[in-house]
Structure formats: C-alpha cells, structure tokens
C-alpha cells in the first residue's frame, strides 16, 4: 500500500500492508503474518515510517485494521478500507513541517499523534459548574477512551444533566483530542432541536467563546453532511437514509422509536458510500435511543469506524452487552435525589370499575412496598416487554364515561390530597393512548375543570395551527396551559422543569419507556422559576404520578418512591433508627423526607445545620442513607464477610444490617 503526498514531487511511499484471505478465514490468526510484512519492506523502497504503520487483513467480506501509530496498536473490524486521503491525514498529523520536505529524514522525527494518543494527554477537567456525578462520568469516560476501549456506557438518572455532560466531553474531544467529527444520535427530531440548543448555550470554560462559535454544529435535516461541521445531530432513520442516498419522510423522525419500534422492519443492508466513508466520525454518541438501535439499526452504527458512547437513564442487558459491559458511570435516581439533582415522587392511584350501574372509583396514595433491586435484576427486567392480564391490571382508560370519572376524581382530590392548600393547578402532563384518546381527555378536562381552551392543550404530532415545539415552550415557560395531553411527544428527553404531576391514562409495555415517561417529572427547578409559572408553589419538593391504569403496581420500574411509611412522623422514624431499627423502609422514608425538607430551607438554615453536624449538610446525610440501603453494596459486603461468591439471603440480610448500623448518622 502506497500513499502519495502532493507536496513531495509526486513520490509515493509505502504506508502499510494488506493481507488477503479467502472468505471464512479467521483474520486475527493472520495478524502475525501481516506483522512480518510490515517489518520486511526492502530498504531501497521509500516508506513513511518503519515498520509500516497500517495493517489490513481482509476476506472481502470481513476486514480488520490495525493502526500502528496508536499507543497500544490493536486490531479492529472495519466496514471497508479507509480512503487514501484519510490515511494521509493520519500520517501527517502534528508532524513538523520540515519533516515533510525530506523523505530520507522523515523517519527520524516523532510519529504523528493519533486521536487515541492525544486522548492520553488531555488537560485537567475544569470542574466548576459541574455536578459531582458529571465530573466522575467525564473523567471515567476519558480514561476509558484513552485505553482504546471502543464502547462505553454512561448511566445517569433522568434529569441529572446527561446532555450537558455529553456537550462538555464532546467539546474536550474536539478541542484537545482533535476529533475530526462527532455524531450525536437522538430518538426523534424534536430532541435534536433541543440538543442543538444545548450546544448553542454551552459556555466554554477553556475559552471566551460558546461552543457553536468555536465549532460548527449541524442538525441534519437534509440529505447531506456539512463537511465543515464538527458535530452532527441526527436520528438513526435520517442517518440511514443519507447512507443509502435516499429521501426520508420527515414524519418518520417525529415519532419516538420507543412507542413505534414494531412499525419498523429490518432495513436493507447499508453499502459503502464514498461521500460518507466509515471514518467520517471519530465518535458517536447515542442519547437515550431505543434499544432497536442496537439490533434493528445496528448496521448503521457498525458501518462507522468510531468509538461509541451511550447515554441512558434506563440500561438493560441488551444495551449493556452492546457496550461490551463497559459501564463507566452509574448514577441511579435515589442517589440523584440525595444529591439534590432529582426530586422523588409519590404515586396517587385512581381505580375505576365500569359496571351496569356506572363507573366506580377508588382514589388514594399507593405505597410501593417492594425493596430496591440489584443492578442485575433491574437491567434484566428493563429488557422485558410486559404482558398484561386483565385480572391484574386496569385497561387503558378509554371509555368516555371512565375518562370523565377519573378526571372528576382527579379534580376533586387535587387540592385536598394531592397538593393540599394549593389553588393553581400544578403543571400536569397526561399520557394518552393515541391522538383520538388525547382529544377526548382534553375535552373532558376542560369541561370538568370549567376552563377554556388555553387551560388544557393537546400536544401531539397531529396538532395544527401552531407547532408542537411552540406548545411545549408555552407549557414550560408560561402560565397556560396548566395541563398538557400527549401520546409520546414529551415522553423522552423533553425538559419541562416546572412539571409537578405526571398522569398515566394508558398502559406502557416497555419498562425502559415507562422509566423515560416517568422521568419527565424529576427535574429540579429553583423556587423563583417555579413561581413564575405556578405562583402559589413555594418549592418543587417532589412530583406526583397519578396512576389511573395501574402501571406503578406492576414490577416494571427501576426507581421507586422513597417514601415507605407515610403515616409515621419524621420524629418517630428518627427515634426508631436511634433505637437500632435497620429496616430499609424506615431508612428510605427518612431520606425521602429529608430531600423535601432540604428544598424548603434557606441558605442560612442549611449552613446552620452544617455547623451543628460537624460540617455535614442534609445532602450528605441523604447520600449516606441512600448508600446504606443499596442492595448491590449489601451483596458485595456479604461476599467479603462470609467468603462466599453466592451469599445466602440470610447472609445478605446480616451484611445489610451491619452496613446500616455502621453508617448510622444519628
């Protein structure tokens, strides 16, 4: 393989070797043979470097590539051979200009820095403005990338700043590691617009410029990629169409794959596209994408010779496997609540039964008594599709009479039990089954609350007259609408911080999708911003899930309400712990109460608590409590204490009691 530099009198130099084998051959088995060839170039033949840096082994069906310029060269599968222009760029990156003037002296100069080599020399992370979880995620990711680990998964609770974390590490990869281009994949088009805004608003701590003033960011909405763009934001459907050179129906990008994955059949295989070669992106970031991206659409990811970074709040075993089990960050909802990054929630259950005499309703708070699950169990369950039994779970609330009964119950209990003492209807998001169902719900809400059109709006893809994006902005920043009814448009990723009620009037089959929908309510907001849209709210201490179909009663959720003993006062709970009570329900309830108290305290009150508690604030106490009831921690402790890799339930319980007693801060 020879590469010619245009400034070297048209003289070509050897750059690598290609070892061809018949189809079916195991390519890793011929790497030693290729290695001999790269060392065996005759001295009278000009070369860019000795030994030759690039090695390919190919059967025509499968191709592997090793870049000898990397710090620890390691072969990898590639879709096809890289373009000569790309190899030339790699050969001349960061090479002194004088080295390019004399071929005979070229090899004495240091080899060029590759992307992976530059990753090992990143400057320290400026931590100001980042939460502790974001700092840990970025540092762990950069360490993983510097070790040439091609895939990494970041799990962070919904609302904990995953996108800002991603923008931060992407900026560092572009500026300091000189990544050629980054692809940012989103679940649907509206989230692409929201992500673009995150890039536009990002202020660099390393320069006086915003992100988009230093680097061009393109939200792909046509059939071509801007060659000057350093970040491209796209859906997987759009990217596939570009690779195929085909037009795409914009409507296909509007709906979430979480609720419509069954509509897609396996697309035809992608083929080599010289306009968009596999080396187009150095890094691909997948942000809360439906798991079909890792099977149905996997060929699109496999086409590119890129490091792949996954961002998710709800990993499952399939996702975990795709990322080679390389979990660089795990930040669950309970820990996010303890850190003040999320708010926790309560479940208010409305049960309806349609009989010949009409609809009946039972309403009240649902107390989830199930213990927290280990990571392995959570991810196993999140991978399952749910099967419903009519005897176990309510059906979708779709009958007009049933909808009216539920809405009446919601209205009558809103200011008595759900948010007692309030007068303004809290910002409420209702999930409907389809557009027609949403229409019925919207009409009945307006009637039963005796309000006008602006009070309740439908936000679906079929909304006309004003864009759904504008309705979402109004819902987020204006007093009206108070209630929004949607199908899945606001189900994933959409940031509506003032939201205080998430209302389920439809079933959800996907555990991951349910976590995403539920996560719309966890966002924190400062009191002034909340009061600008909900004047009589003092602070967002928690949110409420109103469950009219029983979704929260099924064993489908990763995060759960922390409140387990609502009828017992905080004082009595603290007394129980002081007297030696180590029940996880009690510890969890205390942590949940403290999280709400913390949101109401002034800065002076928080400082006063630190003074009388040896420098520990309420967040520190909550973090200790949450960690003490972590089931994964209990298992690891039991393994150590009893010298058993598979401890019994009794041994795990003993380890649990020991940890809680050791960490008893009272």
């Amino acid at each position: 393989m020879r590469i010619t530099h245009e400034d070297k009198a048209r003289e070509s130099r050897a750059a690598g070797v290609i070892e061809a084998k018949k189809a079916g051959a195991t390519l890793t088995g011929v790497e030693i043979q290729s290695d001999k060839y790269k060392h065996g170039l005759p001295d009278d033949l000009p070369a860019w470097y000795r030994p030759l840096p690039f090695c390919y082994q190919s059967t025509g069906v499968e191709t592997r590539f090793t870049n000898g310029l990397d710090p620890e060269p390691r072969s990898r599968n590639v879709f096809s051979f890289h373009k000569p222009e790309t190899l030339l760029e790699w050969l001349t990156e960061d090479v002194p200009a004088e080295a390019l003037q004399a071929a005979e002296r070229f090899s004495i100069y240091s080899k060029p820095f590759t992307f992976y080599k530059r990753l090992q020399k990143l400057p320290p992370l400026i931590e100001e403005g980042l939460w502790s979880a974001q700092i840990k995620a970025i540092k762990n990711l950069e360490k993983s990338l510097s070790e040439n680990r091609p895939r990494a998964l970041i799990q962070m609770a919904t609302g904990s700043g995953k996108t800002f974390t991603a923008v931060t590490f992407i900026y560092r990869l572009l500026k300091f590691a000189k990544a050629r281009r980054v692809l940012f994949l989103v679940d649907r088009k509206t989230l692409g617009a929201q992500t673009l805004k995150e890039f536009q608003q990002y202020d660099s701590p390393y320069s006086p410029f915003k992100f988009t003033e230093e680097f061009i960011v393109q939200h792909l909405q046509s059939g071509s990629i801007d060659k000057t763009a350093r970040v491209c934001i796209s859906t997987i459907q759009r990217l596939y169409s570009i690779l195929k050179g085909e037009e795409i129906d914009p409507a296909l990008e509007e709906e979430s794959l979480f609720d419509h994955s069954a509509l897609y059949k396996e697309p035809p295989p992608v083929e080599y596209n010289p306009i968009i070669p596999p080396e187009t992106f150095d890094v691909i970031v997948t942000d809360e994408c439906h798991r079909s991206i890792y099977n149905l659409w996997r060929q699109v990811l496999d086409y590119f010779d890129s490091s792949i970074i996954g961002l998710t709040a709800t990993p499952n075993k399939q996702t975990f496997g795709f990322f080679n089990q390389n979990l660089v960050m795990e930040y669950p909802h309970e820990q996010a609540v303890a850190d003040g990054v999320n708010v926790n929630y309560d479940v208010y259950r409305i049960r309806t039964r349609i009989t010949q005499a009409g609809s009946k309703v039972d309403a009240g708070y649902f107390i989830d008594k199930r213990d927290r699950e280990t990571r392995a169990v959570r991810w196993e369950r999140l991978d399952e599709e749910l099967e419903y039994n009519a005897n176990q779970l309510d059906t979708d609330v779709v009958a007009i009479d049933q909808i009216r009964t539920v809405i009446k119950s919601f209205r009558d209990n809103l200011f008595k039990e759900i948010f007692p003492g309030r007068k303004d209807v809290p910002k409420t998001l209702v999930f409907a089954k389809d557009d027609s169902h949403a229409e019925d719900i919207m009409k009945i809400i307006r009637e039963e609350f005796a309000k006008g059109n602006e009070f309740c709006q439908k936000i679906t893809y079929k909304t006309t007259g004003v864009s759904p994006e504008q309705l979402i902005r109004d819902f987020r920043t204006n007093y009206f609408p108070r209630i929004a009814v949607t199908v899945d448009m606001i189900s994933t990723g959409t940031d509506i911080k003032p939201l205080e009620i998430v209302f389920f009037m439809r079933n959800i089959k996907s555990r991951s999708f349910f976590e995403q929908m539920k996560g719309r309510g966890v966002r924190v907001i400062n009191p002034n911003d909340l009061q600008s849209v909900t004047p009589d709210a003092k602070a967002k201490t928690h949110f409420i899930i109103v469950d009219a179909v029983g979704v929260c009663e099924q064993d489908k959720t990763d995060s759960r309400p922390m409140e387990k003993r609502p009828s017992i006062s905080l004082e009595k709970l603290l007394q129980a712990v002081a007297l030696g009570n180590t029940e996880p329900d009690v510890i969890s309830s205390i942590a949940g109460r403290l999280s709400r108290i913390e949101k109401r305290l002034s800065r002076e009150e928080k400082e006063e608590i630190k003074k009388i508690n040896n420098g520990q604030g309420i967040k520190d106490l909550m973090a200790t409590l949450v960690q003490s009831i972590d089931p994964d921690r209990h298992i690891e402790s039991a393994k150590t204490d009893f010298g058993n890799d598979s401890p019994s339930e009794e041994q795990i319980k003993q380890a649990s009691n020991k940890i809680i007693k050791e960490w008893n801060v009272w």
Side-chain angles (χ1 to χ4, degrees), residues 7-25:
D7 296 331
K8 257 313 284 169
R10 303 297 178 186
E11 179 187 351
S12 62
R13 308 174 191 171
V17 298
I18 299 173
E19 178 70 20
K21 292 294 180 182
K22 64 181 180 180

Side-chain angles (χ1 to χ4, degrees), residues 565-594:
R565 303 291 181 88
S567 61
I568 302 176
S569 69
L570 177 60
E571 181 182 7
K572 290 187 180 298
L573 289 172
L574 294 175
Q575 288 175 352
V577 173
L579 293 173
N581 189 312
T582 59
E583 294 178 37
D585 281 4
V586 172
I587 305 299
S588 179
S589 294
I590 292 174
R593 304 279 181 93
L594 290 179

